[in-house]
Amino acid sequence: MTRFPTAPDKHALERGAELAPRFDANGLIAAVATHADTGEVLMFAWMDAEALERTIATREAHYFSRSRGELWHKGATSGQIQKVEEIRIDCDQDAVWIKVRPQGDGGACHVGFRSCFYRVIGADGALEERP
């Protein structure tokens, strides 16, 4: 596995050619997955260094499950494997955006929806399902 370096300065972090992700105090980095073809936001999750390394190496999305405290290969049990088309990192390298092609039934949400963002918050604060 790759060991990620620490950027030596702000310029290297923001403009350099070397990947130097800034993990938080818990060793995690935010990850947003969108559909590679439609741009639809599918899910938000966390990655630790191992999840990011495996995602880069395998071109399949891996995350870190905070509730289970373990590495999670998306779709390993559900069949909703996310084939990675592109990985981007933001300007200060503390968030990852992955463009994926969902496999299996095409979903991303563990409760059965295509996107984890299937509810709209109304003006009154009530939730409405809009898959």
Side-chain angles (χ1 to χ4, degrees):
M1 291 276 169
T2 305
R3 297 291 171 218
F4 296 110
T6 300
D9 56 43
K10 185 176 179 179
H11 180 76
L13 180 70
E14 295 176 350
R15 302 300 303 264
E18 187 168 42
L19 178 60
R22 291 179 44 220
F23 297 96
D24 69 13
N26 296 313
L28 302 174
I29 191 169
V32 175
T34 62
H35 196 290
D37 297 322
T38 67
E40 178 181 19
V41 175
L42 298 175
M43 59 183 283
F44 169 85
W46 296 97
M47 290 182 165
D48 62 1
E50 183 179 5
L52 182 56
E53 289 167 345
R54 287 191 185 198
T55 298
I56 293 167
T58 66
R59 305 312 279 183
E60 290 185 357
H62 290 73
Y63 303 102
F64 182 82
S65 171
R66 294 183 304 165
S67 61
R68 293 188 310 266
E70 65 186 18
L71 183 71
W72 158 39
H73 178 199
K74 175 63 178 159
T77 56
S78 68
Q80 296 176 336
I81 289 174
Q82 296 177 341
K83 297 283 187 179
V84 175
E85 293 298 316
E86 182 176 275
I87 306 170
R88 294 187 182 212
I89 194 152
D90 76 334
C91 54
D92 56 358
Q93 298 201 44
D94 65 358
V96 176
W97 172 19
I98 57 175
K99 296 180 183 185
V100 302
R101 286 206 170 81
Q103 306 299 296
D105 65 8
C109 184
H110 76 283
V111 296
F113 293 93
R114 183 181 65 247
S115 169
C116 292
F117 295 91
Y118 61 89
R119 295 183 286 185
V120 175
I121 303 170
D124 62 355
L127 297 178
E128 177 186 338
E129 285 188 10
R130 287 197 204 158

